[in-house]
Amino acid sequence: MTDSIALGELAPTGKLRAGVVVAPAASVFFAADNAGKPKGVTVDLFGALSDELKLPLELVLFPNSGEVTEAVAQGKCDVGFMPRDAERAKKVDFGPAYYIIESTFLVAARSKVRSLAEANFPGARAVVIASTTTGRAAARFLTQGTTQEVTSVEEMVEMARAGSADLFALSRDAFDTLLPALPGARVLDGGFQQTGIGCAVPKGRARALELLSGFVERAKANGLVRKALDMHGFQDAEVAPAA
């Protein structure tokens, strides 16, 4: 039986308000926005959570994980999945991850950059998504370059198509689904960041976090995460280990 106090802490309005990041193509983290009806791994996981808790589900869509972080931190969303880093952990409380991402760079077909080491050249210009763990990690990595923030993956794709910068920073799984829109572009081997996509709640909601964390761990153990990954075409993606 679900703890009624924990349930009230998790969903104080009586419905589960879940933050979802949408992009032009789905990834292990991003959902594809199909005319306001997102489809993706996180959508499936939130659907399963709302069914388990017998709560109505309200999906709140955002163009990047930074905006989801702020919405959860301010209590405008009850739950969210987002890549974890120390800066973000100051604003929300994290539970376990369902997947481990690797962040890297994409370069245009004409680029002479062939490796991560070569990417950190004097004057390198990288486009990143605003207020994200990947963006912050890219800025730390590029000791000889600079980063330019954009709001959404869609905007990044348009800039990549136009060749408006030297480097474009995202998680590897996201590039895998976006590459068809960028003929000739290459994703560099290796990564400048590895981190988990963790579940998160507003600060100070310990019982809510325990309830959410228990769901994520069960979903990894009982095959629910595996099923969601497979259903959306990510058969090669590995489920994060148990916390």
Side-chain angles (χ1 to χ4, degrees), residues 6-69:
L7 192 62
E9 192 174 274
L10 180 67
T13 65
K15 59 185 176 182
L16 186 67
R17 300 170 301 167
V20 173
V21 181
V22 294
S27 72
V28 172
F29 173 53
F30 297 136
D33 185 5
N34 297 314
K37 296 181 179 179
K39 295 184 178 181
V41 175
T42 59
V43 174
D44 289 0
L45 294 178
F46 285 135
L49 176 61
S50 70
D51 288 344
E52 180 177 300
L53 300 178
K54 297 179 173 56
L55 287 173
L57 176 63
E58 178 184 335
L59 297 177
V60 188
L61 309 185
F62 298 92
N64 63 64
S65 58
E67 292 192 20
V68 173
T69 304

Side-chain angles (χ1 to χ4, degrees), residues 3-226:
D3 182 341
S4 60
I5 296 177
L7 192 62
E9 192 174 274
L10 180 67
T13 65
K15 59 185 176 182
L16 186 67
R17 300 170 301 167
V20 173
V21 181
V22 294
S27 72
V28 172
F29 173 53
F30 297 136
D33 185 5
N34 297 314
K37 296 181 179 179
K39 295 184 178 181
V41 175
T42 59
V43 174
D44 289 0
L45 294 178
F46 285 135
L49 176 61
S50 70
D51 288 344
E52 180 177 300
L53 300 178
K54 297 179 173 56
L55 287 173
L57 176 63
E58 178 184 335
L59 297 177
V60 188
L61 309 185
F62 298 92
N64 63 64
S65 58
E67 292 192 20
V68 173
T69 304
E70 294 302 323
V72 173
Q74 296 168 19
K76 296 178 180 178
C77 283
D78 304 310
V79 294
F81 283 110
M82 61 196 76
R84 181 173 185 164
D85 71 358
E87 188 64 28
R88 191 163 278 169
K90 296 175 183 177
K91 299 181 178 182
V92 298
D93 284 334
F94 277 100
Y98 72 87
Y99 181 72
I100 307 298
I101 63 167
E102 179 177 67
S103 299
T104 188
F105 292 118
L106 174 141
V107 296
R110 59 176 171 73
S111 176
K112 296 180 180 179
V113 173
R114 298 289 172 177
S115 68
L116 277 178
E118 292 178 2
N120 188 25
F121 62 86
R125 297 173 301 122
V127 174
V128 305
I129 306 298
S131 303
T132 60
T133 66
T134 294
R136 288 187 284 270
R140 292 191 298 270
F141 178 84
L142 292 174
T143 56
Q144 301 187 79
T146 59
T147 59
Q148 175 186 347
E149 293 188 339
V150 295
T151 301
S152 67
V153 176
E154 186 173 13
E155 188 175 354
M156 177 181 283
V157 169
E158 289 304 315
M159 292 184 71
R161 187 179 287 120
S164 301
D166 303 302
L167 308 162
F168 301 87
L170 273 179
S171 63
R172 183 173 301 282
D173 63 284
F175 282 137
D176 287 344
T177 55
L178 293 170
L179 278 175
L182 300 167
R186 304 188 312 278
V187 179
L188 301 181
D189 290 338
F192 54 80
Q193 175 189 239
Q194 289 81 31
T195 191
I197 302 176
C199 59
V201 299
K203 284 283 188 184
R205 297 187 185 180
R207 293 197 181 190
L209 183 60
E210 183 178 2
L211 186 61
L212 179 59
S213 297
F215 165 78
V216 173
E217 287 300 291
R218 289 193 301 277
K220 291 191 292 185
N222 65 20
L224 180 61
V225 173
R226 178 76 269 156

